[in-house]
Amino acid sequence: MREIGVPHPRLPLPTTGQADDLATFLGWLTEAIPLVEHLGILAMQREDDALSWDVTLAPNLNDKGTGFGGALTAQTTLLGWCWTTLRLRRLGYARDVVVAEASQRFLAPVTGDYRLICTPESEAGPALLEKQLKARGKGRIALVQRLWCGDTLCLEARGDYVVLPAR
């Protein structure tokens, strides 16, 4: 059981040049953030600069039997945090990441299981983040999250994620 005010131990960084085992990362995330076990995340995948989750709708229902906006918003914010944290880990950084700004546009009701996909807003974003980290020890990146229910884009979110300087 997590204690309020006590940081959860960091997951050790992967070996230089290696990517995280996403199943291990998701297991750690579930321990670190208790809400995660209730979000219905079935799997996490990475392809190029995209990080995605397959999610079951059942634990995220609203009173109308469709996706609850608050749960979907939490998921988009957390997926962006995961994208940033995993990118840092691949670069050899163990840093704190916070969301500085976030917005969502709900485009269609979520009526079944879905996929959330997170990508950089700009193709240059990851390189710029790395440059900021090397120059200033901190950085910022804009990410976009899209929620697809089948072929329907139901939600588009955007967030600015800040990498804090080393403590």
Side-chain angles (χ1 to χ4, degrees):
M1 184 70 158
R2 290 290 317 280
E3 291 184 44
I4 296 171
V6 178
H8 190 72
R10 289 186 196 272
L11 186 64
L13 288 172
T15 307
T16 303
Q18 297 293 313
D20 278 287
D21 171 357
L22 295 181
T24 299
F25 181 81
L26 187 55
W28 171 85
L29 187 66
T30 301
E31 292 174 7
I33 302 174
L35 176 66
V36 171
E37 75 177 302
H38 305 287
L39 296 178
I41 302 167
L42 301 171
M44 181 185 291
Q45 299 92 25
R46 179 179 24 232
E47 185 177 324
D48 299 323
D49 268 344
L51 182 67
S52 64
W53 288 344
D54 293 324
V55 185
T56 185
L57 178 58
N60 300 295
L61 288 172
N62 63 17
D63 59 315
K64 296 161 215 50
T66 60
F68 172 57
L72 304 177
T73 297
Q75 291 169 8
T76 61
T77 302
L78 183 58
L79 182 58
W81 181 92
C82 288
W83 187 101
T84 308
T85 299
L86 287 165
R87 175 57 60 121
L88 292 174
R89 292 174 56 76
R90 285 200 321 212
L91 296 172
Y93 292 98
R95 297 288 181 80
D96 288 330
V97 174
V98 296
V99 61
E101 185 177 332
S103 61
Q104 303 80 32
R105 286 184 11 187
F106 295 89
L107 306 169
V110 178
T111 58
D113 294 350
Y114 51 96
R115 174 167 272 208
L116 273 168
I117 303 169
C118 180
T119 57
E121 183 177 64
S122 161
E123 192 174 300
L128 181 58
L129 175 62
E130 189 171 356
K131 184 177 177 182
Q132 292 169 354
L133 289 167
K134 286 179 181 176
R136 300 191 329 245
K138 60 183 180 178
R140 185 180 191 116
I141 189 165
L143 300 172
V144 175
Q145 301 86 23
R146 292 179 177 90
L147 186 155
W148 294 90
C149 191
D151 292 332
T152 303
L153 178 60
C154 298
L155 168 63
E156 189 168 65
R158 183 196 175 284
D160 286 343
Y161 294 82
V162 173
V163 179
L164 301 177
R167 294 188 242 159

